[in-house]
Amino acid sequence: MAYAIKAEIADSGAETFVFTAQKTMYGGKRIAVGDTVFLFASETKGGQGLVARGVVTAAEAIPLKPGVERQTPRVSIAVNRTALASRPLGRRELKAFADWQDGRPQTELNFKFYRQATNKIVGLSEPAAAFLAGYF
């Protein structure tokens, strides 16, 4: 399965990344060791969008807090980088894809990452993962 994470990434050229207690949406809570993950440096934190692809080397679900009715599942992951993005892909490139029903991979990415601007881990469809693979 393929996933994507949008988070604060201080050094996009790093060989390894650790993301602690990240929100998950759209199936992101199922991320596991061995999964492919596309890393987006959050534009709200000074990043430029897609920066790298990697493989999950550790994944741990954060336990839900007792007594809290509505909680977003959170996961901590470690990722080894396998490739750097060869061209830009971020909010600016995806903004035009806002017809939520058109089935395009660009629209899926825009919807999952930028409709709600929070940083998060999301699950990807096969077409979206194939689309992102073309950036490496």
Side-chain angles (χ1 to χ4, degrees):
M1 179 88 183
Y3 295 85
I5 181 170
K6 182 174 65 129
E8 183 174 358
I9 298 176
D11 179 8
S12 61
E15 294 288 326
T16 60
F17 301 88
V18 175
F19 302 101
T20 305
Q22 297 295 301
K23 287 183 179 182
T24 63
M25 294 179 75
Y26 311 109
K29 68 182 178 181
R30 294 183 190 93
I31 196 166
V33 172
D35 287 333
T36 297
V37 63
F38 296 92
L39 289 80
F40 284 73
S42 177
E43 289 94 339
T44 61
K45 300 293 184 181
Q48 72 275 13
L50 182 64
V51 294
R53 177 180 62 206
V55 174
V56 178
T57 58
E60 180 182 359
I62 305 302
L64 297 177
K65 296 176 184 175
V68 179
E69 191 172 320
R70 289 189 53 159
Q71 297 180 57
T72 301
R74 293 179 179 267
V75 176
S76 294
I77 62 171
V79 177
N80 279 348
R81 178 176 53 85
T82 58
L84 290 172
S86 62
R87 55 195 169 125
L89 180 67
R91 182 168 179 74
R92 182 180 54 206
E93 292 80 14
L94 295 170
K95 190 173 185 172
F97 299 93
D99 177 1
W100 303 140
Q101 305 304 317
D102 71 5
R104 298 176 75 169
Q106 299 95 321
T107 305
E108 176 182 337
L109 294 167
N110 185 21
F111 180 85
K112 289 181 176 179
F113 276 153
Y114 301 113
R115 184 172 152 262
Q116 294 178 329
T118 60
N119 293 341
K120 64 193 81 128
I121 298 172
V122 300
L124 298 174
S125 68
E126 287 184 30
F131 171 77
L132 288 174
Y135 282 76
F136 298 90

